[in-house]
Amino acid sequence: MQKPQESSSQNGEHFSYSSIHVDGPYIAMTFDDGPHATLTPRLLDILKERHIKVTFFVLGQLVKEHPEIVQRAVAEGHEIGNHSWDHKALNKLGPDGLQHELTDTSAVIKEATGKPVTLMRPPYGATNPRLSRAIEKDFGMKVILWSVDPLDWKDPGPKVVESRILSGSKESGGAKPGAIILSHDIHKGTVEAMPSTLDALLAKGYKFVTVSELLAMESKMPVQSSATPAAPTSH
Ligand SMILES: [Zn+2]
């Protein structure tokens, strides 16, 4: 998965979000491609122990198999977003395909959780301003990409996943305020990496919020330069 384009905007209007300009040490962890029958509940236990809220971008076909897992996630304060029905690249689909991938997935999530779905992450980050705008205007979901990608789907091992989230890699920077961090709760190594990764982020002073909470914090202050507010322990 390549690094997605930066948050696209036109005339000040956002079409997608890779990170959010915020005033405090807030970050959003996101987990894609689930729910997984055993790994997602294990991750939920890890999150619960630490009182950490995250966002899951789920596949409709898997929610249909395991509605009880997304139900539990919502009951424990997490947010659920749409990640398509069966992981199709949306930019390759016609109107009917797009309608199925987006509408049927949101419907099955709403059926399981009772909550409307307001966020969408396109598989592979495959979108463009026109598609992102359609997802927002026609389907009522904001398009969420990411700023930190540990490439955990390649199964590099828990230690590598952790160091890429904390410090970055060649392909992507590490956690910083306003970051949206990508991971996948269908890989054992990713879930195994989480206890020490989350503890290290907590020790650095980061506060975990859902993507919707992070969006709501977006600072209206004009961005002065490319400088990002320093992470709590970066000095
Ligand atoms: Zn995915």
Side-chain angles (χ1 to χ4, degrees), residues 139-151:
F139 295 93
M141 296 182 284
K142 285 192 182 341
V143 173
I144 308 301
L145 300 173
W146 57 84
S147 59
V148 178
D149 181 1
L151 300 174

Side-chain angles (χ1 to χ4, degrees), residues 3-37:
K3 189 165 188 278
Q5 61 195 36
E6 291 305 308
S7 300
S8 57
S9 67
Q10 204 173 312
N11 303 324
E13 192 183 357
H14 277 293
F15 297 117
S16 63
Y17 299 82
S18 303
S19 63
I20 305 295
H21 186 66
V22 293
D23 291 329
Y26 300 99
I27 54 176
M29 281 296 305
T30 66
F31 294 92
D32 289 10
D33 296 359
H36 184 282

Side-chain angles (χ1 to χ4, degrees), residues 1 31-34 57 59 83-84 87 121-125 146 182-184 186:
M1 251 167 275
F31 294 92
D32 289 10
D33 296 359
F57 288 98
L59 296 176
H83 192 45
S84 82
H87 217 266
R121 173 170 283 157
Y124 316 105
W146 57 84
L182 173 67
S183 278
H184 299 81
I186 57 165

Side-chain angles (χ1 to χ4, degrees), residues 71-92:
Q71 229 159 35
R72 176 184 165 192
V74 166
E76 294 179 0
H78 305 292
E79 181 165 31
I80 307 294
N82 184 323
H83 192 45
S84 82
W85 186 262
D86 52 4
H87 217 266
K88 293 247 164 59
L90 302 182
N91 58 349
K92 304 265 198 297

Side-chain angles (χ1 to χ4, degrees):
M1 251 167 275
Q2 76 284 19
K3 189 165 188 278
Q5 61 195 36
E6 291 305 308
S7 300
S8 57
S9 67
Q10 204 173 312
N11 303 324
E13 192 183 357
H14 277 293
F15 297 117
S16 63
Y17 299 82
S18 303
S19 63
I20 305 295
H21 186 66
V22 293
D23 291 329
Y26 300 99
I27 54 176
M29 281 296 305
T30 66
F31 294 92
D32 289 10
D33 296 359
H36 184 282
T38 54
L39 291 173
T40 306
R42 207 167 128 197
L43 175 61
L44 286 169
D45 291 342
I46 291 165
L47 297 169
K48 195 175 186 180
E49 282 167 20
R50 292 164 178 79
H51 307 286
I52 287 172
K53 312 292 186 233
V54 306
T55 303
F56 292 94
F57 288 98
V58 296
L59 296 176
Q61 64 174 4
L62 297 181
V63 175
K64 201 176 167 192
E65 282 176 41
H66 299 289
E68 74 287 354
I69 298 177
V70 294
Q71 229 159 35
R72 176 184 165 192
V74 166
E76 294 179 0
H78 305 292
E79 181 165 31
I80 307 294
N82 184 323
H83 192 45
S84 82
W85 186 262
D86 52 4
H87 217 266
K88 293 247 164 59
L90 302 182
N91 58 349
K92 304 265 198 297
L93 298 178
D96 290 352
L98 190 63
Q99 173 85 23
H100 162 63
E101 294 291 329
L102 297 178
T103 308
D104 293 357
T105 301
S106 287
V108 78
I109 296 170
K110 186 159 186 222
E111 200 179 302
T113 66
K115 296 196 172 184
V117 183
T118 61
L119 305 177
M120 202 276 146
R121 173 170 283 157
Y124 316 105
T127 189
N128 54 58
R130 192 162 147 245
L131 176 59
S132 294
R133 190 168 196 275
I135 293 170
E136 177 155 355
K137 303 290 176 202
D138 302 339
F139 295 93
M141 296 182 284
K142 285 192 182 341
V143 173
I144 308 301
L145 300 173
W146 57 84
S147 59
V148 178
D149 181 1
L151 300 174
D152 61 306
W153 57 277
K154 291 185 178 174
D155 281 331
K159 276 284 143 204
V160 176
V161 172
E162 176 176 351
S163 75
R164 285 176 181 167
I165 289 175
L166 295 174
S167 323
S169 64
K170 254 190 294 181
E171 293 84 0
S172 105
K176 55 182 72 137
I180 298 174
I181 300 171
L182 173 67
S183 278
H184 299 81
D185 54 325
I186 57 165
H187 297 292
K188 194 160 164 269
T190 302
V191 175
E192 282 173 355
M194 282 306 127
S196 60
T197 303
L198 297 171
D199 288 342
L201 290 166
L202 288 168
K204 282 170 176 274
Y206 285 112
K207 295 187 193 316
F208 293 88
V209 294
T210 64
V211 170
S212 284
E213 288 169 336
L214 195 68
L215 284 170
M217 287 176 185
E218 183 169 26
S219 168
K220 301 299 177 220
M221 299 274 288
V223 181
Q224 303 280 327
S225 68
S226 59
T228 314
T233 56
S234 68
H235 296 286

